[in-house]
Each structure stands twice: as structure tokens, then as C-alpha cells.
Amino acid sequence: MKFNHFIKKSLTRQIIALMGVFTLLFLAGTIILTLLQEHVNSSYYKEREKLVKKEEIVQQIDHDFNLVFFNVRGYFAYNNSELKNQAASLRPGIRKLISEYNRIAATPEDKAFGKEMDEFADFYFIERLPASIEYFEAGRMDEVIKLADSGATARINSFQDETHDYLQNLHKELNDRVQSLIIKQSYIQTGFFLFLVVILVILFRMIRIMFKKIGQPLTQFANAAEEIARGGKAELHVGQERMDELAVLSTAFSKMVRTLQEKEQDLLAQNEELLAQQDELQAQREELEEVLGTMRSNERKLERRNELINGISNSLQKQEVLESIVNNMCYVIEADCGLIVMLQNGESASFGISALGVEQFNNHLASGFIDRLKQTKEGFTVKRQLLQEEKGYHERTVFGYDLYLPIISSNQEVTAVMVFTRFGFPFIQTHMDEYSALSKQIGLSLDKISSYENSEADRKLNQDILNTVKEGMQYVDRDGCILQVNKQLCEMFHCQDGFAGIVGQTWDKWSVLLKKQVVDEDGFTEFIWRAFNGETSSGETFVYKTKDRGHVCQMYCEGLYQNNERVGTVFVHRDITKEFKVDEMKSEFVSTVSHELRTPLASILGFSELLLNRELKPEKQKKYLMTILNEAKRLTSLINDFLDVQRMESGKQTYEKKYIELLPIIEKVIDNQQVQTDVHRIILESFDGNDLILGDSSKIEQVFTNLISNAIKYSPSGGPVYLRLYEENSLLHIEVEDHGLGIPENAAADIFNKFYRVDNSDRRRIGGTGLGLSIVQEIVRAHDGYVSFKSKYGEGSTFIVSIPGVYKPSHGLDENIHQSGTRYEVLVIEDDQSLAELIIQELTENNLHAKHFNTGRDALAYLENHLPDAIVLDIMLDEGLDGWSIMKILKRNEVLSHIPIIISTALDEKEKGLSLGAHDYFIKPYQTGSLSLAILQTLLKVGKAGQILIPENSPGD
Amino acid sequence: MKKILIAEDEEILRMLISDTLEDGDFSVDEAEDGEEALQLMEKKQYDLVILDYMMPVLTGLDVIRKVRSGMNQNKDVKILMLSAKSQQNEQEEVLNAGADYFMVKPFSPLQLLEKVGEIADEV
């Protein structure tokens, strides 16, 4: 009973118990059935073994007897005693087998058969066989046969039959046993099947029990829980008699449901109470909100007032401040529109008023209100009827109230006035104090702005002055902080944000910013530090190089004193790159010239000395003299180069330009140059175009001599030098191409500069003054052309000379002119009569038609109706207009400005003449014929000549 | 016979110097530039080296510095420097670097011969 109770209290235990009983049943059934099977099988095998054993023995006995009979008969037949002995030897075996059989014989039949076999053996071996053998040996064969016939043979046969019968019975018995085993086996199988069925039934029962005990109550719980969750009521019907966990759960669940229901009641009650409280709170809140609203509006007013003050104190932009004043004032004093006007310059800002309104007000400023404000310096209000546009859609009369407020500066002057208007409700007189307080505040800030504006204007003026200075300047206060810089300084040091990027920087920052851009950082820092501390002597300078562009700058510093107290330092940075470069180039030039001149000089002097002081063989003498000659030539050409450059620099180089063919000149230069070298081949590519230019042939020759000798010099290992001519864009281009050292990229910009030589150890052995290319450029430019080059460092260079090509008349000038029937008209303005006649004569000789005037006025009058092809102009004229004025007048006139002007004067002001637009400038006296040539060349250049000078069959006609 | 090395890039001047020294009892080697001069000094011990200042590849000054730093057997060889530049500071620079004598271009061949003779006697 107690155990039963123990099991019932736990579901787990119940399940374990059920499972246990089931397992026990299953095991017991299985064991019993297995044992039974085992038993049936073993008893069958035992029986079978016995029967088989018996069978084997009987068969052996039968076999042995047969052998005995066989041998005995053989003995009798052949009288072979061997056979007799064999028969005798089988006897003990047979006896042994028989006695073995008797031992295992169980049934009465077996025992009877055993006795029978014993008896037969006795009969045969004891009774008959000895007797037969005795008879046989005695030779009494008949007796033997008689004995046999007397039943011995019959007995043997019957024994053999019996034996066979017995064996057959044994077989039958074996079969019976097998049959009975099969039947038993099938019984046992049926038993197994039934057992399984029973077990399944029991299992099913168990599941049913578990479902009833657990599943059903759980479903009930679920339904009940759901019902409660939905808010309904639910009862549980879990068996009262149960004692397990479900019973406990059910009790707890019921209790919980009860508690929940009680709580719900409580909450409902509380809720009602809270609702009542909330109503009360709502009322309180509304009350508070009302108070808060008032506070907020006050606060907003204060904020606006703050904003007004912030707005006018935060900005120094006058217009911005004025607008902020009007907007904020309107809000603060609750005006509908407002206006502020500066009396001094009429600057104004408004709120709610149209531009027209503002203008009208400004126009009437001088009327009474202003005077009153100026006199009383106190604000006042005015009531008036609103204008139609102010009233808007209101029909009845509405009054507006204007508040006039003066703004008074620190020196008690009215500097500005403010007017604010309320539509429909008046300004309260008691608020006037507040209004005037505000206006005072505004006055103060306007004062501040005006003083700021003054100082700003001063500062700007100072800055502008500073910016005009070419040097970079910075002013550092005594704490090391930068107070002011000028534009140049910002540019020199790449201040990214302009002044803002550097002004106001402390010593630590700006000194680093600047020194980073200087090559000698430490030297720079040391100098500015010494200068800042006043340790530099006056006039001491520091020269530094900038990192990025390699500019060279010179810096000096001056202390700034106020009342004998040092208040700061001014640093001045002067860009001396140009001077520095010129200096550098000059000294390099001096050194080069010195070297270049001394080398040939050393040869000339040395060899002369040897010639004078030594006895030399004639060949040697000749060799030395040749050397002296060559070196002297080299000296001459060097000196000529220097002189050329000098001439060109001073603008004194003259060019005698004629129509010249380029090819023959180039061929000549090539011939001269080819002689100088064995390793180079100078190749002129064929060209059959027009090679005519207007130029000075000796100068042009110099251009190509320089270029080709450069090509040879700068390709020391030899190779071809190509010359190529081609026409493009009416320019004649001549290329000189070598495959030598090439020009390094960094040298490209300076290559045409005077004295410039590519600094490179490879090139130092290549002589030269650094003047060749600069001379080339100068000459080509004088021919209205240009030189360019392309080069790849290490692979060679190509220099290209581009000069305008021209076409020469095929039949000569005269014929053309006669053929076309036109002659160029040249206006000659010259007051010296005899000179004029000379000029006219020269022009006429050259088939130009001269028209002469003594004064500019007459000439200008003529020009109103005529368009000559060129004008020859004297500068110093007797009456009124001089040559310069005439030129200016002509150049201003659209039609006349295109007429070429050739100046013919005693004044040496060529540059002025050319800059004013003259095409050529002749200083009297000049060679006869040169004026006409210049005019023709000019006409050729401006394209006038094309109509008559170009032959009929040439292209471009 | 004293062994003399001439380093001079101008062929004509090289010829002038070697012809000048022809009369004396010298064996003369010639180099076209500083590097070639160094290569020759690598192989042979000289009694005197006549160096031009302005030479390609290696200047006379470079050569002196290299020789005096003991890069070959001619560490203590007498050196006569020829230069077209006659500035005082250059002369000092050359002598400080280790040249024994200095002669300005253009020079007198007879003087040069005389000088070389003196140096040869000293050695």
C-alpha cells in the first residue's frame, strides 16, 4: 500500500514502473521460448547420434561377415591358406563390434538383435567354421558340402536378411525423428508469434494509460489557460484523487486564477481613483500653461532685445547692423513697420516699408520732425490717419501711431533717426524711457561702427600703400605675432588663404611656415630671431633661396619704436633673383671668357716662344705657325661673338636685308662645317619649294654656322646631321637635327639665354661661350622669325628656324609696274624743301609715286580723300603738328592706321617711333636707295606687294 | 730619365707642353682628362704630374684630391697645376688641396721647362 502511494505521487515513477513490468514480461517470454527451442533441438540431435552409431556398427558387422564368408569360400575354392587366415583374423573384430553394439542397445528389439548376432557368431565361428575347415583339410569335401547344406548356408542367409531388415528399421526411425522435429519447431514458431501479439497488446494498453494520465490533463490546462487569457472563467477537472505533479500543477493553477481575479478587482478600483486625479491635474496644468505662455512671451521679448544688442554689436558691417536694428526694434516695441536713416549720408534700412516709401521719407527729412528731434534730442509720438495702402482691406478710418526716436552720438549730436509705426494701437507713454534706452544703446554701437570704419579706411590705405611696394613686408609685434603683411609677402611665401593665412600667426607658427620654404632653414631662423631681438646691425641682410622656384631673396629688418620703446620689427624681403642670376651669369661669363680666351692665347704665345727660341725643323715650324694661325682665328671668332652679343644688346646691330635664296647659303655653311669633322655627315634633304627670304645673308649664314657647329659639337661621337627645309603656314622652316647628347629638360627654358651653357661634366670639354644660340635667336627674330627646338636627353636635338618666305618678281619691278599700270603712291611729309626733293627723286627713280606736303595739316587734309600706300614722315616740322602728333592721329583713324609709316628724321628716337607704330625708322643722313628699299620691303610685308609682285603662274594668286 | 704625366684636355696645349719638354731628359705620358690621368697613375709611378684645372669628367682639383688621398702609388708625386683662372682664391684652393706648384695660362714654355727642370733635380 505504501509502495503504491509512492508510485502514484510521481508521473516519472509511474512510467518507470510500467516500463519495468513490460520489460520483465518481454524478457521472461523470450527466455522461455528460447530454452524450449534449445531443448527440442538437443534431444533430437542426441537420438539421431545414437541411431547413426548403431547403424554404423551393424553395417560394419555385416561387412566383416561378408568378408569372412568371401574368404572362407575362396579358401575352399582355391585352397589358399592365406585366405583362411584372413577370415580367422576378422573374428576378433566382429566380436568386438558385437559387444560394442550390445553396450549401446537400449530397446528390447536392439537387445534381441544383439543376442541374435552373438548367437550367429557363436554358431558360425565355433560350431560350423572349424568343422568345415577340418573336413576340407581332411579332404572330405562332401562333408563340407553336407555341412553347408545341413542349414549352415540357410542360417547365414537368414542372418544377412535379418541384418538388412534391422538397418531398414533404423532408417525409418531416423526419418520419423526428423518429422517429429519439424512439427515441434513449427509449434515453437507459432508460440513466438502469439507472444509478440500479446506484447503489442500490452504496449498499446500502456500508451493508452499514459495518454489518459498526461495528455488529457495537459489539453485541459491549455484550454483553461487560453480561456483565462481571453478573460473568461475556467475550471479544471483534473482528478481529485490524483497525487502526482499534474495534481500539484492543477492546484497551483486554480490558486493563480483566483489571485488574478482578485487583483483585477483591485486594479479596477485603483483605475477609477487615478482617473479622478488626472482630471484634477489637467486643470492644474492648464493653469500653469497659461502662466508659462505669459512668461514665454516676456522671454521672447527679452530674447529679441538681446538679439538687437547682439546684432548691433556682432557685426561691423554698417548696412547689416542697420537692418538688424530696424527688424529687431520693430519686434521689440511691437511696431508694424520701421525705418532708420543716417543723417550724414542718407544710408538707411527699413522694415515693412517699400523702397518708394523710404525714398519719400528721405526726401522730406528736412521737414519739421527732424528739427524737433535735433533740438529736443528726445523721442515723441504722432497720431495720424493711415494711408490707403497702409490700411489694406480695412474700410473704416484707422489711425496710425508714429514713434520718432533720435540716435545720439557720443558727442551729443543726432546722427540718425528712427521712425516706427503701429497700426491701430498707440505707443504707451510710459514705455518711452525704455525706447530711449534702446536708442542710446543703438547710438553707442553706431559710434563704434563709425570709428571702426574710419580705422578700417586708414588700415586699407596703409595696406594699399604697402601692397604697392615691390618688396615683401611683414610687421611683427614685440610678442612675435604677425600684425601686418603685404601682398608681395603672401605671394613670395605662397600663403594659401592670403592675408588671413598669416596675419595673426604667432612666432612659432609663422617662422616655421616661412622657414620651410627656404633652403637654409637654420640660417633663416637664426637671422629672423636675431633681428627680432634687435641683435642685427643696421644694414645687415640675409640672402636666402626658396625651395620651390629657387628664387633668391634678400631680407633685412628694422625695429619699430614708439616713445623710445621697441614695439615691433619690420621684415623686408626683396626678390633679387634677377640680379642674382645676372650676377651669376656675368661671373660665369667672365670665367668662361677668361678660360676660352686664355686657351688659344696660351697656344699662340707658347708656340711663338718655341719658334723664337728653338732651332726647329721647317715642317715643325710650319706646323707651329699653322697652329698659331688657327688659334688666332679662333680668338677672332670668339671676340666677334662677344661683339655681336654686345651689339645686339645695345640694339645697334644693323641688317642689310635683300632677297636671298636660303639653299645656297646653307650649302655653303655645310661645306665649311663638313671640312672640320670626319665623324659627322651633314646631310641636306632635297627641297624644291620656294627658298626665297628677305634677309641679311651674312647673318643668316651665321645662324646656320652656329646651329650646325652646335650639332657637331654636341654629338661628340659623330653621326649624321640632317638639314631639312619645308614650307608651312607661309613660313619657311629649316630643321637642324643631330643625334648627340640632347638637352636635359631642366635646361630647356634657359637654352637661348646669353652665356647660358648646359652645366654637365660631359659638356665641359665642349668649348663655347654660351652665346651661339642667343645670337641665332636674336638674328632670326630680326628676320620676323623664331627659333624653336625639340630634344630628348641622350638622343639628340632638333633646332627649327622659321622665317617668313617671300616671292620675288619673276620679271623685275619695272615691267610689273608698267604692265599693271599702277604705281605706289607715297606721301612725303617733310618741311625741308631740298631734302624733300632728294626723297622725291629717289622714290621716283624706284618707280614710286611721291606726293609731297610741307605741313601735317595739309597732308591730313589730303588724306581725308586719298589712301596712299605708304607715308614718309619727318618728326620735326615747322608748323603746328609735329611728326609724333601726326602719327597718333593716323593710328587712331581706322582706315588710315593701316598705312605703313616710315620715319625719316634727324632725331635718334627709334624706339619711340617703332613703339608708336612706325614700320621703319631712318636717321638722317642715310644711304640713297635705302628708303625706297625699306618702303618696298614694308609693302611686301603688309601684303600690298602681292598684287603685282607675285608672278602670274605662282600659287596663291 | 724622369717620368712626367701631362693631363690637359686641349689637344694643342698638350702638344705644346710635350714639345716643350722634348729637349729635356724626360719620358712624357699624356692624358685627355682627369680620369685617364688617374688610370695612368694607377699603373706607373711618376716624378711629376702637370694638371690642367678645367678638364671634363674629373677636374684637376678632383684628381689632386684623389691622388693625395692615397688611391694609388703616386700619393706623394709632385704636382704642377696649370690654370686659365688666375684668381688668388683659386690658387690657394689648389695649393691647399695638395698641388706643389701653380702656373697661370697662358704660360711661357721656357719658364715651364725651367720649372720642370728644377723639380726634376729636386726629386
Side-chain angles (χ1 to χ4, degrees):
Chain A
M1 193 62 208
K2 210 173 180 185
F3 179 75
N4 199 8
H5 188 76
F6 175 76
I7 296 286
K8 273 193 166 173
K9 268 186 92 169
S10 162
L11 270 171
T12 324
R13 278 179 220 139
Q14 286 176 24
I15 291 165
I16 290 172
L18 270 175
M19 291 303 290
V21 170
F22 175 74
T23 314
L24 278 177
L25 273 175
F26 182 74
L27 281 176
T30 315
I31 291 167
I32 288 166
L33 282 165
T34 313
L35 285 176
L36 195 63
Q37 168 96 352
E38 209 41 43
H39 173 72
V40 170
N41 281 349
S42 69
S43 64
Y44 164 73
Y45 284 117
K46 249 187 227 158
E47 291 285 323
R48 198 183 118 89
E49 205 178 332
K50 266 185 199 161
L51 287 173
V52 169
K53 181 90 183 175
K54 267 190 227 165
E55 193 182 11
E56 275 171 4
I57 293 170
V58 174
Q59 270 174 349
Q60 188 63 43
I61 292 169
D62 183 38
H63 176 257
D64 287 358
F65 268 120
N66 276 340
L67 261 179
V68 171
F69 296 151
F70 182 71
N71 285 331
V72 168
R73 279 177 191 155
Y75 174 68
F76 288 149
Y78 308 107
N79 193 17
N80 186 345
S81 61
E82 186 68 24
L83 291 174
K84 183 188 86 179
N85 288 342
Q86 274 182 9
S89 73
L90 287 166
R91 194 182 144 194
I94 291 171
R95 280 293 183 195
K96 204 177 164 198
L97 285 169
I98 292 170
S99 66
E100 200 175 328
Y101 177 82
N102 278 335
R103 206 170 54 242
I104 61 170
T107 55
E109 289 93 19
D110 294 343
K111 279 177 182 157
F113 183 64
K115 211 179 165 189
E116 169 68 30
M117 279 196 296
D118 254 346
E119 279 168 12
F120 178 74
D122 286 350
F123 164 76
Y124 187 73
F125 287 112
I126 297 165
E127 215 175 303
R128 287 302 165 96
L129 190 58
S132 303
I133 293 169
E134 216 172 289
Y135 283 128
F136 178 72
E137 280 171 352
R140 296 164 63 185
M141 210 41 210
D142 54 330
E143 277 301 319
V144 175
I145 296 166
K146 207 175 140 187
L147 214 56
D149 289 343
S150 70
T153 306
R155 184 70 195 273
I156 285 169
N157 287 343
S158 85
F159 177 73
Q160 277 181 332
D161 288 346
E162 227 170 299
T163 307
H164 289 165
D165 283 349
Y166 182 73
L167 280 174
Q168 260 179 356
N169 278 339
L170 272 179
H171 262 294
K172 202 175 158 236
E173 207 171 327
L174 261 175
N175 278 337
D176 288 351
R177 298 270 179 217
V178 170
Q179 287 297 328
S180 101
L181 180 71
I182 288 167
I183 290 165
K184 274 178 189 164
Q185 292 258 13
S186 72
Y187 284 154
I188 288 167
Q189 272 171 6
T190 315
F192 252 118
F193 178 72
L194 284 175
F195 174 70
L196 278 176
V197 170
V198 169
I199 284 294
L200 274 176
V201 169
I202 292 171
L203 202 59
F204 182 70
R205 279 294 296 173
M206 271 171 66
I207 288 165
R208 250 182 77 89
I209 290 167
M210 293 319 289
F211 174 71
K212 244 187 155 174
K213 283 215 157 203
I214 301 167
Q216 274 180 353
L218 276 180
T219 319
Q220 275 183 28
F221 271 126
N223 289 340
E226 211 171 311
E227 189 62 33
I228 288 165
R230 233 184 273 137
K233 285 194 173 179
E235 272 181 37
L236 277 174
H237 303 289
V238 175
Q240 298 297 321
E241 73 287 355
R242 285 181 75 138
M243 302 163 73
D244 55 17
E245 290 91 335
L246 280 171
V248 177
L249 191 63
S250 137
T251 322
F253 189 84
S254 306
K255 252 187 211 162
M256 201 175 73
V257 170
R258 264 199 303 284
T259 321
L260 271 175
Q261 282 163 349
E262 277 163 22
K263 284 257 168 73
E264 198 183 344
Q265 294 289 333
D266 280 358
L267 281 171
L268 278 173
Q270 276 178 16
N271 193 24
E272 267 167 44
E273 211 171 306
L274 280 172
L275 277 173
Q277 279 176 9
Q278 198 191 357
D279 286 349
E280 210 171 306
L281 279 172
Q282 181 72 27
Q284 280 177 9
R285 209 186 75 175
E286 274 162 21
E287 220 169 288
L288 275 172
E289 260 172 13
E290 220 168 287
V291 176
L292 194 66
T294 329
M295 273 173 70
R296 276 212 186 115
S297 88
N298 282 339
E299 195 186 352
R300 232 175 281 139
K301 237 184 222 174
L302 273 174
E303 257 172 30
R304 277 289 169 165
R305 207 159 288 188
N306 270 343
E307 243 172 69
L308 167 71
I309 289 164
N310 274 340
I312 57 186
S313 55
N314 273 353
S315 174
L316 288 169
Q317 287 289 314
K318 201 177 210 167
Q319 192 58 37
E320 211 175 282
V321 171
L322 291 179
E323 270 161 24
S324 151
I325 289 171
V326 171
N327 288 348
N328 286 297
M329 278 295 282
C330 279
Y331 192 85
V332 171
I333 67 176
E334 290 168 340
D336 293 300
C337 58
L339 175 73
I340 181 169
V341 180
M342 301 293 293
L343 292 183
Q344 204 181 358
N345 52 11
E347 280 176 284
S348 65
S350 63
F351 174 77
I353 299 174
S354 67
L356 191 74
V358 175
E359 205 186 318
Q360 271 177 3
F361 182 81
N362 280 342
N363 291 340
H364 297 96
L365 256 183
S367 62
F369 295 130
I370 297 299
D371 290 337
R372 183 174 161 184
L373 281 173
K374 276 184 179 168
Q375 278 160 15
T376 62
K377 296 193 166 97
E378 269 176 26
F380 58 88
T381 55
V382 172
K383 182 179 175 186
R384 64 176 168 86
Q385 246 187 47
L386 279 190
L387 304 171
Q388 192 54 45
E389 63 265 30
E390 285 173 330
K391 252 164 55 178
Y393 55 80
H394 294 282
E395 281 180 7
R396 61 190 174 86
T397 313
V398 180
F399 286 102
Y401 300 88
D402 292 341
L403 170 64
Y404 286 81
L405 285 172
I407 295 174
I408 299 161
S409 71
S410 52
N411 48 10
Q412 298 306 313
E413 271 179 37
V414 177
T415 51
V417 286
M418 294 190 287
V419 187
F420 297 100
T421 305
R422 278 183 184 175
F423 298 157
F425 74 110
F427 291 99
I428 303 160
Q429 206 57 37
T430 50
H431 286 176
M432 279 307 274
D433 283 349
E434 197 194 329
Y435 298 156
S436 55
L438 286 170
S439 119
K440 243 174 223 162
Q441 188 86 39
I442 292 165
L444 283 177
S445 64
L446 287 181
D447 272 356
K448 198 177 72 183
I449 288 172
S450 85
S451 68
Y452 167 79
E453 276 178 346
N454 286 341
S455 71
E456 184 62 15
D458 284 351
R459 202 191 59 76
K460 195 170 176 306
L461 180 65
N462 278 336
Q463 185 68 57
D464 286 348
I465 292 170
L466 274 184
N467 285 349
T468 61
V469 176
K470 294 270 181 292
E471 282 79 22
M473 292 172 84
Q474 58 180 128
Y475 170 51
V476 177
D477 70 9
R478 73 183 109 192
D479 301 323
C481 188
I482 290 194
L483 289 190
Q484 196 165 10
V485 296
N486 69 349
K487 199 176 77 192
Q488 278 68 24
L489 187 97
C490 287
E491 279 164 10
M492 280 168 109
F493 289 97
H494 315 293
C495 303
Q496 282 157 352
D497 312 322
F499 292 155
I502 189 158
V503 173
Q505 299 264 28
T506 58
W507 177 275
D508 296 338
K509 283 190 178 160
W510 72 259
S511 66
V512 171
L513 189 82
L514 262 52
K515 86 167 185 193
K516 270 193 196 154
Q517 305 185 41
V518 171
V519 176
D520 177 11
E521 288 187 14
D522 295 339
F524 182 84
T525 315
E526 198 245 2
F527 182 80
I528 55 172
W529 180 247
R530 281 201 301 123
F532 174 63
N533 290 310
E535 291 164 16
T536 48
S537 55
S538 126
E540 189 177 340
T541 59
F542 177 77
V543 175
Y544 60 85
K545 217 168 176 184
T546 61
K547 277 178 188 164
D548 59 336
R549 283 182 288 177
H551 278 207
V552 182
C553 298
Q554 190 183 41
M555 165 169 55
Y556 65 86
C557 314
E558 288 297 336
L560 217 63
Y561 294 88
Q562 266 175 14
N563 306 325
N564 284 328
E565 199 194 342
R566 191 178 171 111
V567 291
T569 317
V570 177
F571 293 82
V572 181
H573 306 254
R574 200 160 78 83
D575 192 332
I576 55 164
T577 313
K578 255 191 192 157
E579 290 96 317
F580 186 82
K581 269 200 172 165
V582 167
D583 239 39
E584 226 179 18
M585 268 205 272
K586 281 250 161 82
S587 69
E588 170 72 23
F589 178 60
V590 168
S591 152
T592 315
V593 168
S594 141
H595 183 257
E596 293 298 322
L597 291 182
R598 274 163 200 264
T599 303
L601 264 181
S603 315
I604 294 169
L605 288 172
F607 284 111
S608 319
E609 205 175 297
L610 286 183
L611 277 168
L612 280 173
N613 291 292
R614 275 194 190 164
E615 296 294 321
L616 296 166
K617 287 175 201 157
E619 313 88 78
K620 201 130 208 191
Q621 282 184 12
K622 194 173 177 198
K623 187 183 167 194
Y624 284 3
L625 283 170
M626 274 304 293
T627 310
I628 290 170
L629 181 66
N630 282 335
E631 291 300 289
K633 277 187 185 160
R634 188 168 141 196
L635 258 183
T636 317
S637 87
L638 273 175
I639 290 166
N640 280 341
D641 267 6
F642 299 148
L643 288 179
D644 276 344
V645 167
Q646 202 270 332
R647 246 203 316 271
M648 285 166 184
E649 271 197 334
S650 61
K652 284 182 182 152
Q653 180 70 48
T654 52
Y655 295 93
E656 280 182 41
K657 291 187 188 170
K658 290 178 189 152
Y659 291 106
I660 48 170
E661 288 173 340
L662 264 186
L663 278 175
I665 295 173
I666 291 172
E667 276 159 8
K668 183 177 154 199
V669 174
I670 292 174
D671 289 343
N672 289 341
Q673 293 291 323
Q674 186 66 73
V675 186
Q676 322 256 342
T677 172
D678 300 325
V679 289
H680 297 86
R681 267 181 314 118
I682 308 173
I683 300 154
L684 175 61
E685 292 183 5
S686 68
F687 172 74
D688 53 7
N690 172 46
D691 65 339
L692 201 66
I693 62 159
L694 198 58
D696 183 323
S697 64
S698 70
K699 295 285 181 270
I700 293 292
E701 194 178 319
Q702 195 180 354
V703 165
F704 292 106
T705 307
N706 286 355
L707 287 180
I708 296 173
S709 77
N710 268 357
I712 290 172
K713 272 201 287 191
Y714 290 103
S715 45
S717 46
V721 174
Y722 293 103
L723 274 96
R724 209 171 290 123
L725 273 76
Y726 58 91
E727 269 184 295
E728 201 177 88
N729 301 332
S730 80
L731 282 173
L732 197 58
H733 304 270
I734 308 99
E735 284 187 359
V736 181
E737 178 188 326
D738 69 61
H739 295 277
L741 304 173
I743 295 156
E745 245 170 68
N746 60 1
D750 292 322
I751 199 99
F752 291 110
N753 287 354
K754 287 182 194 76
F755 316 132
Y756 182 84
R757 296 190 64 208
V758 175
D759 183 26
N760 177 306
S761 61
D762 275 358
R763 283 155 206 274
R764 262 193 273 168
R765 70 183 314 164
I766 297 165
T769 51
L771 293 173
L773 281 177
S774 127
I775 292 171
V776 165
Q777 190 177 46
E778 201 74 32
I779 296 173
V780 174
R781 280 189 181 166
H783 284 79
D784 302 321
Y786 57 88
V787 201
S788 55
F789 74 95
K790 44 197 182 190
S791 177
K792 205 158 180 199
Y793 188 47
E795 291 180 18
S797 329
T798 304
F799 281 83
I800 304 134
V801 174
S802 310
I803 296 183
V806 293
Y807 289 94
K808 199 180 177 178
S810 54
H811 310 292
L813 215 53
D814 294 4
E815 288 168 57
N816 268 310
I817 289 164
H818 291 307
Q819 274 173 9
S820 62
T822 55
R823 290 212 307 174
Y824 292 119
E825 185 182 58
V826 180
L827 207 65
V828 180
I829 308 172
E830 172 64 74
D831 57 347
D832 184 328
Q833 200 57 39
S834 58
L835 195 62
E837 270 165 28
L838 272 176
I839 293 173
I840 292 163
Q841 190 187 342
E842 190 211 305
L843 295 180
T844 317
E845 276 169 13
N846 285 294
N847 269 306
L848 293 164
H849 172 72
K851 179 88 187 163
H852 173 237
F853 291 97
N854 275 320
T855 67
R857 206 175 308 282
D858 293 346
L860 289 175
Y862 176 77
L863 283 171
E864 276 173 22
N865 302 317
H866 298 81
L867 204 61
D869 297 293
I871 298 173
V872 176
L873 179 66
D874 185 18
I875 295 297
M876 289 192 292
L877 298 170
D878 274 352
E879 291 170 37
L881 291 166
D882 66 355
W884 300 132
S885 316
I886 297 172
M887 267 189 80
K888 280 175 197 159
I889 292 168
L890 291 177
K891 288 298 165 195
R892 272 205 297 270
N893 184 309
E894 210 182 308
V895 182
L896 302 176
S897 68
H898 300 297
I899 306 174
I901 299 174
I902 289 101
I903 294 174
S904 151
T905 176
L907 271 183
D908 188 2
E909 288 193 56
K910 183 171 179 176
E911 269 185 34
K912 185 178 179 187
L914 296 182
S915 71
L916 281 174
H919 275 73
D920 220 328
Y921 195 102
F922 284 85
I923 300 167
K924 296 172 192 169
Y926 44 84
Q927 232 181 333
T928 324
S930 56
L931 182 66
S932 310
L933 184 66
I935 291 171
L936 283 171
Q937 280 173 3
T938 304
L939 292 177
L940 201 68
K941 245 191 247 170
V942 299
K944 276 263 184 186
Q947 54 188 322
I948 58 158
L949 288 179
I950 295 167
E952 282 99 19
N953 58 352
S954 80
D957 192 351
Chain B
M1 205 148 74
K2 303 291 181 190
K3 292 186 283 290
I4 297 179
L5 171 65
I6 302 169
E8 162 67 65
D9 57 324
E10 284 282 340
E11 195 187 343
I12 297 164
L13 288 181
R14 221 163 45 236
M15 181 178 84
L16 176 64
I17 299 167
S18 65
D19 280 13
T20 305
L21 300 181
E22 221 169 43
D23 282 4
D25 187 20
F26 308 116
S27 94
V28 176
D29 287 339
E30 294 178 18
E32 270 184 44
D33 56 52
E35 194 155 299
E36 200 185 336
L38 280 178
Q39 281 164 7
L40 288 169
M41 280 190 260
E42 199 71 40
K43 292 179 202 144
K44 206 187 216 175
Q45 172 92 50
Y46 289 99
D47 297 300
L48 173 64
V49 178
I50 299 174
L51 271 179
D52 181 27
Y53 186 93
M54 277 244 266
M55 280 192 295
V57 191
L58 281 178
T59 66
L61 207 60
D62 296 334
V63 175
I64 294 182
R65 290 195 177 125
K66 293 215 165 177
V67 169
R68 293 296 186 226
S69 72
M71 72 173 290
N72 61 42
Q73 51 191 320
N74 288 288
K75 184 173 191 283
D76 299 316
V77 73
K78 294 280 175 198
I79 296 178
L80 169 66
M81 185 72 128
L82 287 176
S83 175
K85 296 181 177 173
S86 58
Q87 285 98 330
Q88 190 62 35
N89 57 358
E90 192 182 284
Q91 194 167 341
E92 268 167 33
E93 188 190 13
V94 168
L95 294 176
N96 285 339
D100 299 287
Y101 312 97
F102 186 86
M103 222 175 201
V104 176
K105 280 184 191 176
F107 54 88
S108 151
L110 298 182
Q111 273 176 25
L112 178 70
L113 182 63
E114 201 181 317
K115 190 86 201 172
V116 171
E118 276 171 32
I119 299 167
D121 289 342
E122 272 175 44
V123 175

